[in-house]
Amino acid sequence: MDGVHDLGGKQGHGPIDVHEPVEPFHADWEARAWAVSKGIGGGAPDINIDWWRHVRETTIPVDYLTRPYLDSWLEADMVTLVDSNICTLEELVTGKSTSPAAGEAVSISVANAILANRASATKFDRPINAEPKFLVGNEIIAQQNASTGHTRLPGYVRGRHGKIHAHHGAHLFPDAVARGIEKAEHLYTVAFAARDLWPEANDSKDMIFLDLWESYLDPK
Amino acid sequence: MVEKGLTTTETINAWVEAYSEEIGPKRGAQVVARSWIDPTFKDRLLADAAKAIEEFGFEGDATGHLKAVENTAELHNLVVCTLCSCYPFSILGIAPNWYKTAAYRSRAVRDPRGVLTEFGVSLNTDVQIHVWDSTAELRYLVLPQRPAGTESLCEEELAKLVTRNSMIGTDRNLSTQTAGES
């Protein structure tokens, strides 16, 4: 999706606030927003991370750029709850449930939250029969066109030349998984030279690395 | 959410507490300090960081495919997620707000030297930058260089020198005094 979220290389977003306090949360609501999201499991139970990311990408552009981050994060969780018929919009607006709870949530301690975090390490690699199309060192061109739905091919490398830096086997393919189709594709780290991406970087030897799936890439 | 039976107040408080203290950048700092004093651990970390952090029990949210990238005198690494805000939560905790802003996400891949200057990091022109855009489920941890003159410090003391920003790449020359901001 060619949305406002695809920010790499965009200009005019100003300086960075480098004097932010070191504490993880800068307001009570931030801590609670994060914890509510963790507590409910990051949205409706029938969604996946790619669907969640796509929901966030469909945030109204002006909201996407201006709403506080964790507020926007929690909004994505809420959208999935409404979409999966777990809550109504009215219930979320009023903060009052109009139907009996579907079940009883179990309370956990801090120690159990830490254990639950530890158990949440997730692997996204999958077995695949197809041989990889590219070898480390091969030169590629990133595709000019990407999916109109969720995709992880940023605009700033489309149509650009790069080189395969590493191969990671096959990983779940977000463009398909966001649509509910479990499919894996070979995943590569691709190196792009800054001078091949940006007109002002002619003299630069800096490199930008992206992790890109096989169908995003064509041989040079 | 509580009335709906999706979570409880106690659980919400537990998650606030877990991410306020235990699950934070001090974990990453311990990993970096170990890599400085134990070359065999550093080898394991560079080979498979997701597995190496299991030695500390630090694996978890968004570290299933963790990769460590090492700074040297000739190379500086910088991590960003231009498409959303991917971050290795289990080892660095809550991402700072600046990491999630349009300003950082848009500029890190195009103007990394300008970004570093704003963070007070001046790089010689002969130092190459590698920017890692977290577009898949790989997550990146920068291994900063060990400051000179710290040969006598133990792992615990070294960990205190490692700033969160140095593990993202917006800090480079670590102080030999206790870590200050971020």
Side-chain angles (χ1 to χ4, degrees):
Chain A
M1 175 181 167
D2 290 326
V4 68
H5 67 283
D6 188 0
L7 282 161
K10 295 292 192 315
Q11 297 179 295
H13 289 287
I16 297 158
D17 175 11
V18 300
H19 298 296
E20 186 182 327
V22 293
E23 290 74 23
F25 302 111
H26 307 330
D28 284 346
W29 75 262
E30 287 189 351
R32 292 184 62 76
W34 172 260
V36 167
S37 180
K38 297 299 287 183
I40 65 173
D46 58 342
I47 63 148
N48 57 57
I49 182 63
D50 298 305
W51 176 243
W52 188 93
R53 287 195 182 113
H54 189 52
V55 167
R56 215 175 104 61
E57 289 165 2
T58 59
T59 304
I60 296 166
V62 68
D63 272 4
Y64 189 96
L65 292 172
T66 55
R67 274 177 85 145
Y69 185 79
L70 286 168
D71 180 37
S72 180
W73 177 294
L74 199 54
E75 181 190 53
D77 284 2
M78 299 299 123
V79 168
T80 68
L81 293 179
V82 173
D83 199 39
S84 296
N85 297 316
I86 291 168
C87 291
T88 64
L89 190 57
E90 187 194 354
E91 287 175 316
L92 291 172
V93 169
T94 60
K96 296 281 174 206
S97 175
T98 57
S99 60
E104 198 174 330
V106 179
S107 286
I108 62 169
S109 63
V110 178
N112 283 338
I114 291 165
L115 285 175
N117 168 71
R118 189 173 174 186
S120 70
T122 307
K123 290 287 187 189
F124 292 83
D125 53 321
R126 293 291 183 274
I128 192 168
N129 290 323
E131 290 293 314
K133 205 164 140 188
F134 304 107
L135 300 170
V136 170
N138 283 173
E139 294 186 33
I140 58 88
I141 305 174
Q143 292 218 331
Q144 187 67 57
N145 296 314
S147 158
T148 54
H150 183 60
T151 185
R152 299 292 287 180
L153 177 61
Y156 74 93
V157 296
R158 293 184 199 166
R160 303 307 175 112
H161 291 227
K163 193 180 268 192
I164 303 288
H165 173 76
H167 172 228
H168 304 289
H171 279 224
L172 288 172
F173 181 50
D175 305 45
V177 175
R179 297 171 191 270
I181 301 159
E182 184 157 321
K183 179 187 165 192
E185 268 191 20
H186 286 287
L187 178 73
Y188 306 90
T189 300
V190 182
F192 294 88
R195 63 175 176 272
D196 289 335
L197 298 179
W198 315 116
E200 68 275 23
N202 271 337
D203 301 328
S204 174
K205 55 176 184 172
D206 296 341
M207 303 292 294
I208 297 100
F209 296 83
L210 289 82
D211 298 316
L212 300 175
W213 279 264
E214 191 163 86
S215 63
Y216 296 165
L217 310 172
D218 290 318
K220 188 184 166 187
Chain B
M1 295 302 107
V2 173
E3 281 183 35
K4 280 283 174 192
L6 298 176
T7 187
T8 70
T9 303
E10 190 185 351
T11 296
I12 293 169
N13 291 338
W15 280 113
V16 170
E17 190 69 25
Y19 269 89
S20 294
E21 182 54 34
E22 178 58 31
I23 305 171
K26 68 176 190 182
R27 288 181 158 192
Q30 262 182 275
V31 173
V32 170
R34 174 89 42 100
S35 79
W36 286 345
I37 60 165
D38 180 349
T40 62
F41 174 74
K42 183 173 157 185
D43 289 345
R44 293 197 293 281
L45 185 68
L46 290 171
D48 185 349
K51 191 151 182 282
I53 63 169
E54 290 178 3
E55 297 176 32
F56 298 81
F58 290 165
E59 72 277 17
D61 194 6
T63 65
H65 298 279
L66 187 68
K67 181 168 174 52
V69 288
E70 186 185 14
N71 285 353
T72 67
E74 297 82 30
L75 177 67
H76 184 79
N77 291 284
L78 182 69
V79 180
V80 65
C81 172
T82 62
L83 292 175
C84 46
S85 53
C86 296
Y87 193 72
F89 297 108
S90 185
I91 197 154
L92 295 184
I94 298 290
N97 274 336
W98 58 257
Y99 182 84
K100 303 174 278 202
T101 58
Y104 182 74
R105 287 166 50 192
S106 61
R107 291 174 56 207
V109 292
R110 182 159 189 169
D111 179 26
R113 284 170 200 271
V115 167
L116 288 173
T117 301
E118 281 173 31
F119 279 94
V121 178
S122 58
L123 280 186
N124 288 336
T125 47
D126 58 345
V127 176
Q128 189 187 28
I129 300 180
H130 283 181
V131 181
W132 302 86
D133 188 355
S134 317
T135 45
E137 295 298 341
L138 276 75
R139 297 288 169 272
Y140 293 91
L141 174 75
V142 177
L143 282 191
Q145 287 176 280
R146 180 174 179 167
T150 57
E151 292 74 15
S152 63
L153 298 187
C154 69
E155 186 176 313
E156 196 180 329
E157 291 165 326
L158 287 169
K160 288 182 183 158
L161 308 180
V162 182
T163 62
R164 177 195 63 203
N165 286 6
S166 73
M167 295 181 278
I168 306 172
T170 54
D171 189 7
R172 178 168 170 89
N173 298 309
L174 296 175
S175 165
T176 52
Q177 309 299 313
T178 307
E181 287 196 359
S182 60

